[in-house]
Coordinates of all heavy atoms in Angstrom, one line a residue:
G12 N -35.5 19.2 -14.0 CA -36.2 18.1 -13.2 C -36.2 16.8 -13.9 O -36.1 15.7 -13.3
L13 N -36.5 16.8 -15.2 CA -36.5 15.6 -16.0 C -35.2 15.0 -16.1 O -35.0 13.7 -16.0 CB -37.1 15.9 -17.4 CG -38.6 16.2 -17.4 CD1 -39.0 16.7 -18.8 CD2 -39.4 15.0 -17.0
K14 N -34.2 15.8 -16.3 CA -32.8 15.3 -16.5 C -32.3 14.6 -15.2 O -31.7 13.5 -15.2 CB -31.8 16.4 -16.8 CG -30.4 16.0 -17.1 CD -29.6 17.2 -17.6 CE -28.6 17.6 -16.6 NZ -27.8 18.7 -17.0
L15 N -32.7 15.1 -14.0 CA -32.4 14.5 -12.7 C -33.3 13.4 -12.3 O -33.1 12.8 -11.3 CB -32.3 15.6 -11.7 CG -31.2 16.6 -11.8 CD1 -31.4 17.8 -10.8 CD2 -29.8 16.0 -11.8
N16 N -34.4 13.1 -13.1 CA -35.4 12.1 -12.7 C -36.0 12.4 -11.3 O -36.1 11.5 -10.5 CB -34.8 10.7 -12.8 CG -35.9 9.7 -12.9 OD1 -37.0 9.9 -13.4 ND2 -35.6 8.5 -12.4
A17 N -36.2 13.7 -11.1 CA -36.8 14.1 -9.8 C -38.2 13.7 -9.6 O -39.0 13.8 -10.6 CB -36.5 15.6 -9.6
S18 N -38.6 13.5 -8.4 CA -40.1 13.3 -8.1 C -40.7 14.5 -7.4 O -41.9 14.7 -7.4 CB -40.2 12.1 -7.1 OG -39.9 10.9 -7.8
A19 N -39.8 15.3 -6.8 CA -40.3 16.5 -6.1 C -39.2 17.6 -6.1 O -38.1 17.3 -6.4 CB -40.7 16.2 -4.7
V20 N -39.6 18.8 -5.8 CA -38.7 19.9 -5.8 C -39.1 20.9 -4.7 O -40.3 21.0 -4.4 CB -38.6 20.6 -7.1 CG1 -39.9 21.3 -7.5 CG2 -37.4 21.6 -7.2
I21 N -38.1 21.5 -4.1 CA -38.4 22.7 -3.2 C -37.6 23.8 -3.8 O -36.4 23.7 -4.1 CB -37.8 22.4 -1.8 CG1 -38.5 21.2 -1.2 CG2 -37.9 23.6 -0.9 CD1 -37.9 20.7 0.1
F22 N -38.4 24.9 -4.0 CA -37.7 26.1 -4.5 C -37.4 27.1 -3.4 O -38.0 27.1 -2.3 CB -38.7 26.9 -5.5 CG -39.0 26.1 -6.7 CD1 -40.3 25.8 -7.0 CD2 -38.0 25.7 -7.6 CE1 -40.6 25.0 -8.2 CE2 -38.3 25.0 -8.7 CZ -39.6 24.7 -9.0
A23 N -36.4 27.9 -3.7 CA -36.0 29.0 -2.7 C -35.4 30.1 -3.5 O -34.7 29.9 -4.5 CB -35.1 28.4 -1.7
H24 N -35.5 31.3 -2.9 CA -34.8 32.4 -3.4 C -34.5 33.4 -2.3 O -35.2 33.3 -1.3 CB -35.4 33.1 -4.6 CG -36.6 33.9 -4.3 ND1 -37.9 33.4 -4.1 CD2 -36.7 35.2 -4.2 CE1 -38.7 34.3 -3.9 NE2 -38.1 35.5 -3.9
N25 N -33.5 34.2 -2.4 CA -33.2 35.1 -1.3 C -33.7 36.5 -1.7 O -33.9 36.8 -2.9 CB -31.7 35.1 -1.1 CG -30.9 35.5 -2.2 OD1 -31.2 35.2 -3.4 ND2 -29.8 36.3 -2.0
H26 N -33.9 37.3 -0.7 CA -34.1 38.7 -0.8 C -33.0 39.5 -0.1 O -33.0 39.6 1.1 CB -35.5 39.1 -0.2 CG -36.7 38.7 -1.0 ND1 -38.0 38.9 -0.5 CD2 -36.8 38.2 -2.2 CE1 -38.8 38.5 -1.4 NE2 -38.2 38.1 -2.5
P27 N -32.0 39.9 -0.9 CA -30.9 40.7 -0.3 C -31.4 42.0 0.4 O -30.7 42.4 1.3 CB -30.1 41.1 -1.5 CG -30.4 40.0 -2.6 CD -31.8 39.7 -2.4
S28 N -32.6 42.4 0.1 CA -33.2 43.6 0.8 C -33.5 43.4 2.2 O -33.6 44.3 3.0 CB -34.4 44.1 0.1 OG -35.5 43.1 0.2
G29 N -33.6 42.1 2.6 CA -33.9 41.8 4.0 C -35.4 41.5 4.3 O -35.8 41.1 5.3
S30 N -36.3 41.8 3.3 CA -37.7 41.6 3.5 C -38.0 40.1 3.2 O -37.7 39.6 2.1 CB -38.5 42.5 2.6 OG -39.9 42.1 2.6
V31 N -38.7 39.4 4.1 CA -39.0 38.0 3.9 C -40.4 37.9 3.2 O -40.8 36.8 2.9 CB -38.9 37.3 5.2 CG1 -40.1 37.6 6.1 CG2 -38.8 35.8 5.0
E32 N -41.1 39.0 3.0 CA -42.5 38.9 2.5 C -42.4 38.6 1.0 O -41.7 39.2 0.2 CB -43.2 40.2 2.7 CG -43.5 40.5 4.2 CD -44.3 39.4 4.8 OE1 -45.3 38.9 4.2 OE2 -44.0 38.9 5.9
P33 N -43.3 37.6 0.5 CA -43.3 37.3 -0.9 C -44.0 38.4 -1.7 O -45.0 39.0 -1.2 CB -44.1 36.0 -1.0 CG -44.9 36.1 0.3 CD -44.2 36.8 1.3
S34 N -43.5 38.7 -2.8 CA -44.2 39.7 -3.7 C -45.3 38.9 -4.5 O -45.3 37.7 -4.5 CB -43.2 40.3 -4.7 OG -42.7 39.3 -5.6
R35 N -46.1 39.7 -5.2 CA -47.1 39.1 -6.0 C -46.4 38.3 -7.2 O -46.9 37.2 -7.5 CB -48.0 40.2 -6.6 CG -49.1 39.6 -7.5 CD -50.2 38.9 -6.6 NE -51.1 38.3 -7.5 CZ -51.5 37.0 -7.5 NH1 -51.0 36.2 -6.6 NH2 -52.3 36.5 -8.4
A36 N -45.3 38.8 -7.7 CA -44.5 38.1 -8.7 C -44.0 36.8 -8.2 O -44.0 35.8 -8.9 CB -43.4 39.0 -9.2
D37 N -43.6 36.7 -6.9 CA -43.1 35.5 -6.3 C -44.2 34.4 -6.3 O -44.0 33.3 -6.6 CB -42.6 35.7 -4.9 CG -41.4 36.5 -4.8 OD1 -40.6 36.6 -5.8 OD2 -41.1 37.1 -3.7
E38 N -45.4 34.9 -5.9 CA -46.6 34.0 -5.8 C -47.0 33.5 -7.2 O -47.3 32.3 -7.4 CB -47.8 34.7 -5.2 CG -47.5 34.9 -3.7 CD -48.7 35.7 -3.0 OE1 -49.8 35.6 -3.6 OE2 -48.4 36.3 -2.0
M39 N -47.0 34.4 -8.2 CA -47.4 34.0 -9.6 C -46.3 33.0 -10.2 O -46.7 32.1 -10.8 CB -47.5 35.2 -10.5 CG -48.7 36.1 -10.1 SD -48.9 37.7 -10.9 CE -48.3 37.4 -12.6
L40 N -45.0 33.3 -9.9 CA -44.0 32.4 -10.4 C -44.2 31.0 -9.8 O -44.1 30.0 -10.5 CB -42.6 32.9 -10.1 CG -41.4 32.0 -10.4 CD1 -41.4 31.7 -11.9 CD2 -40.2 32.6 -9.9
T41 N -44.4 30.9 -8.5 CA -44.6 29.6 -7.9 C -45.7 28.9 -8.5 O -45.6 27.7 -8.8 CB -44.8 29.8 -6.4 OG1 -43.7 30.6 -5.8 CG2 -44.9 28.5 -5.6
N42 N -46.8 29.5 -8.7 CA -48.0 28.8 -9.3 C -47.7 28.4 -10.8 O -48.1 27.3 -11.2 CB -49.2 29.7 -9.3 CG -49.8 29.9 -7.9 OD1 -49.7 28.9 -7.1 ND2 -50.4 31.0 -7.6
Q43 N -47.0 29.2 -11.5 CA -46.6 28.9 -12.9 C -45.7 27.7 -12.9 O -45.9 26.7 -13.7 CB -45.9 30.1 -13.5 CG -45.6 29.9 -15.0 CD -44.9 31.1 -15.6 OE1 -44.3 31.9 -14.9 NE2 -45.0 31.3 -16.9
L44 N -44.7 27.6 -12.0 CA -43.8 26.5 -11.9 C -44.5 25.2 -11.5 O -44.3 24.1 -12.0 CB -42.6 26.8 -11.0 CG -41.6 27.8 -11.5 CD1 -40.7 28.2 -10.4 CD2 -40.9 27.3 -12.7

């Protein structure tokens, strides 16, 4: 983010399993980031 001089970011990841529900780990990672 610093290298690109970004002001904002949108994160995304895929779930190959097909479930669109976020895991607790997904929520914790988002808050940490």
Side-chain angles (χ1 to χ4, degrees):
L13 289 172
K14 185 171 112 179
L15 294 172
N16 198 30
S18 294
V20 65
I21 298 169
F22 294 121
H24 73 281
N25 62 321
H26 281 176
S28 67
S30 171
V31 76
E32 293 303 313
S34 68
R35 182 70 187 129
D37 292 337
E38 292 177 24
M39 289 172 37
L40 172 64
T41 303
N42 287 330
Q43 186 180 23
L44 290 171

